[in-house]
Each structure stands twice: as structure tokens, then as C-alpha cells.
Amino acid sequence: MFKRFASVLVTLSAATALADATVTTWDELRTAIGTAQFGDTITLAKGDYTVATAGVTIPAGVTVCGATGDPADVVITDSISGKRAFELKNADSLLKDLTVTGTGGQTIDGFHVWLSNGRMENCVITGGSGNGNANGSKGFNVYVSGSAVVTNCVISNGKGVLYNCYGANLAVAGGLVVDCTIKDGYCSRQGFGSNVYISGGRLLRCLVTGGQAVNERNMDATVSCAAGIYATGGIIESCLIKDSKVAGKGNRCAGVYVNGAVTIVNCTVTGNSSEKYGSTQAIETDIGMFVNHASAKIVNTILFNNGGTIEKEYGTVNRDRFMCCASTIQNASDTG
């Protein structure tokens, strides 16, 4: 008995039979997805694609990938409100080697890519932007949960423009995000992690940089926490969290805001800052890390150049949660 392994080629010429399908539009890609079987690979040829009418759910055991291995060669523009480009919820599904851009779904979790299973590798996911709404959308570019694995991706330029943005770039509720760069996320009102919001799962060997939480209205009711990472659960391991900033009235903690039983181990937190927006300065304590939970564990982590005083590096609250850590600012009263 022979097992069926088909390769579906997506190019920019006329469509033919599925065995050597040549697909020119997003809807034709959806047709190929609908007929794919376990073990199939759907390859998108070099070019630009536009998400039309609806996104796709990658079936179990099916790979969707760009043809050249360079994400810049296959660019998918996703800007349909309430819909996302890709969902991965089946075992052994794989998305790799392409770019997804555009504003995305805007009122859902994971504007561009939503994963509860399967894998995403070597992709660029960028530009998800919208209103977090009253319930709070999570992961404007990417949402990861369950047993999903995201590897070697760049997730960037997510933007929360109104209320309750939980991870303008990335939200992690489960699974594993490893060897990724998460950068340049932005929250303007009530953001919880301009780059990353993590409530479960594991963030491993990632660079988290360039996030901004700016209180543009300078109102107490619109404060944001953590331009880098806002953590209520999960594990953050061997990550570099750097060069993010909070600005404006009430905003606090540019680096990592810990608000749950989180474990942070072998990380470096550096170069994060508090700045003025207009005439109003953001909160100037706990700029590197704010630990707001007695069950958190911060282990073998280095904090430096986050403002220049002990209060700016890691604050005065829950200092006993730091174990075998180091900072350029020494304080003899810190037993940890």
C-alpha cells in the first residue's frame, strides 16, 4: 500500500488540477487547503497575496510554506476585521517561511496567526493593530496556547490603539516560543505588555526589544504596564529584554512586570527607561522589573542600566523573590 504524499505549488499563473495546482489568489489557496491530506505540502511561490473573505485552518499533518525559504519573498496582507489569516489547531500542522502583514482581525485574539497546536517556523508576523475592546484582545500579531511551538520568527510592530491590549505583538497562554525576536510593539492606552503578554507556557531564548507604552492622553484611567513583558504566569528563560520605554502619566515598568506565579531564569534586563510624554513623567521606580506577586521566582537574572538606582532596576517590593541575581547597583539589605 502506498501512502499519498502530494506537493501543491502555489504560483501566480492560472489554476490547474490539484496534483500540480497553480493558484493565483487567496481563495484558490483556501481550495487547496480544503483538499489537502495528511503529509501534503502546499508551497506558495514568490509573490504577494491578499487575504480575501476568510483565513485558513491548516489541517493535521499539512505544511504551508513559502517557496524560497526567505519570508520576504512571500508576503500575505491580512486586513479583514474579525478574521485572521492562519489558524493552527491540529497536530503536525506547520506554517513556515513567509510574511503576514496588515492590521489583521482587530477584535479577536491572534489577529494574524492563532495557534493551539502545530508549529510556526521562520516567519515574519507584523503590523497587527486595533482596539483591545472592553474584554481585551490578546496577541495582536500572534496568539500561542496549548501545545503549539513557535520557532525562529520575528514578531513586530503590533499596536494597541485603545483599551485593554494584552500583548500588542504576542500573547502566550501555553506552548513554547523559542529563538524568536519580538520587537517594536506599542500600546497607547491600558496596555499589558507592549511586546509580550504571557500567562502560561514558556518563552525561551528570545530577544524582546523596542516596546513602547505611551499614555498619550495623560489620564490616570489609561495607564499601561510593561513596554517589554507583562507576565501573570508561565516561564521566561534565557531571554534578553532590552531598550523598551514607558512614557506619560501613570505608566510603569518598561522591562518586565510580574503579576503572578511566574518563573524568570537566566535572563538579562537592560536599557529600559521611563520618559516624559509632553510634560508628564512616567513612574520612575521599578523600570527594569516590577515584581508584584509573592509567589514569583526570579533566578540567576542580571539587571543593569535600567535607570541608575536600585529602585529603578528592580524596585523595593518583593526583593526576596530574587535568587542568585545581579545588578550593577548593590544594596546590602537585599538578602537574595
Side-chain angles (χ1 to χ4, degrees), residues 16 24 47 50 94 97 126 156 179 198 210 236 244 313-314 318 327:
T16 60
T24 61
T50 300
L94 174 61
D97 304 337
T126 186
S156 68
D179 295 328
I198 180 170
I236 303 168
S244 291
E313 294 292 355
Y314 57 89
N318 290 314
S327 173

Side-chain angles (χ1 to χ4, degrees), residues 221-297:
T222 61
V223 298
S224 294
C225 299
I229 301 174
Y230 188 96
T232 63
I235 299 170
I236 303 168
E237 181 178 355
S238 300
C239 292
L240 174 59
I241 302 107
K242 65 187 289 283
D243 297 340
S244 291
K245 69 178 182 180
V246 288
K249 186 174 184 178
N251 284 356
R252 73 179 305 158
C253 189
V256 185
Y257 190 109
V258 180
N259 201 24
V262 180
T263 297
I264 299 174
V265 59
N266 299 338
C267 291
T268 299
V269 182
T270 184
N272 302 289
S273 62
S274 170
E275 300 181 6
K276 286 185 177 181
Y277 182 79
S279 61
T280 307
Q281 176 73 46
I283 292 174
E284 291 195 85
T285 59
D286 316 295
I287 292 169
M289 184 179 297
F290 180 50
V291 179
N292 195 35
H293 201 283
S295 295
K297 295 180 181 179

Side-chain angles (χ1 to χ4, degrees), residues 106-107 131-138 162-166 190 192:
Q106 301 188 41
T107 57
N131 176 5
N133 67 50
N135 295 321
S137 297
K138 297 178 176 65
L162 282 175
Y163 298 106
N164 297 338
C165 164
Y166 293 87
Q190 287 186 308
F192 300 91

Side-chain angles (χ1 to χ4, degrees), residues 9-18 20-25 28-29 31:
L9 176 63
V10 180
T11 70
L12 298 180
S13 56
T16 60
L18 179 61
D20 57 352
T22 305
V23 180
T24 61
T25 68
E28 289 172 351
L29 173 60
T31 299

Side-chain angles (χ1 to χ4, degrees), residues 10-325:
V10 180
T11 70
L12 298 180
S13 56
T16 60
L18 179 61
D20 57 352
T22 305
V23 180
T24 61
T25 68
W26 182 260
D27 281 341
E28 289 172 351
L29 173 60
R30 291 179 63 219
T31 299
I33 287 282
T35 58
Q37 298 183 23
F38 197 101
D40 287 356
T41 295
I42 302 174
T43 303
L44 283 73
K46 184 175 180 178
D48 298 331
Y49 299 81
T50 300
V51 177
T53 65
V56 297
T57 298
I58 301 178
V62 172
T63 295
V64 174
C65 64
T68 69
D70 183 350
D73 286 341
V74 176
V75 178
I76 296 165
T77 300
D78 169 27
S79 56
I80 300 177
S81 182
K83 303 181 187 299
R84 56 179 70 92
F86 293 100
E87 291 187 4
L88 289 85
K89 58 185 179 181
N90 298 301
D92 300 314
S93 57
L94 174 61
L95 178 69
K96 67 176 185 176
D97 304 337
L98 50 77
T99 294
V100 184
T101 188
T103 55
Q106 301 188 41
T107 57
I108 54 177
D109 297 338
F111 286 8
H112 289 322
V113 183
W114 182 95
L115 307 94
S116 63
N117 208 333
R119 294 174 291 141
M120 180 168 69
E121 300 175 358
N122 193 38
C123 289
V124 174
I125 313 297
T126 186
S129 176
N131 176 5
N133 67 50
N135 295 321
S137 297
K138 297 178 176 65
F140 283 13
N141 277 317
V142 178
Y143 179 89
V144 182
S145 64
S147 58
V149 178
V150 175
T151 306
N152 192 36
C153 292
V154 177
I155 304 169
S156 68
N157 294 106
K159 184 175 182 180
V161 296
L162 282 175
Y163 298 106
N164 297 338
C165 164
Y166 293 87
N169 270 324
L170 170 68
V172 185
L176 171 65
V177 178
V178 58
D179 295 328
C180 293
T181 296
I182 304 103
K183 65 178 184 177
D184 301 335
Y186 184 94
C187 288
S188 64
R189 294 170 64 185
Q190 287 186 308
F192 300 91
S194 299
N195 271 322
V196 179
Y197 174 83
I198 180 170
S199 58
R202 188 179 180 199
L203 192 70
L204 174 64
R205 297 196 307 268
C206 291
L207 169 62
V208 181
T209 186
Q212 296 185 64
V214 181
N215 190 344
E216 294 179 353
R217 301 185 71 188
N218 278 327
M219 296 173 59
D220 287 331
T222 61
V223 298
S224 294
C225 299
I229 301 174
Y230 188 96
T232 63
I235 299 170
I236 303 168
E237 181 178 355
S238 300
C239 292
L240 174 59
I241 302 107
K242 65 187 289 283
D243 297 340
S244 291
K245 69 178 182 180
V246 288
K249 186 174 184 178
N251 284 356
R252 73 179 305 158
C253 189
V256 185
Y257 190 109
V258 180
N259 201 24
V262 180
T263 297
I264 299 174
V265 59
N266 299 338
C267 291
T268 299
V269 182
T270 184
N272 302 289
S273 62
S274 170
E275 300 181 6
K276 286 185 177 181
Y277 182 79
S279 61
T280 307
Q281 176 73 46
I283 292 174
E284 291 195 85
T285 59
D286 316 295
I287 292 169
M289 184 179 297
F290 180 50
V291 179
N292 195 35
H293 201 283
S295 295
K297 295 180 181 179
I298 320 300
V299 182
N300 197 36
T301 287
I302 299 170
L303 301 98
F304 69 98
N305 197 30
N306 293 298
T309 69
I310 198 70
E311 287 76 19
K312 291 183 179 181
E313 294 292 355
Y314 57 89
T316 60
V317 180
N318 290 314
R319 285 186 176 176
D320 61 339
R321 298 294 85 205
F322 291 81
M323 307 161 196
C324 301
C325 293

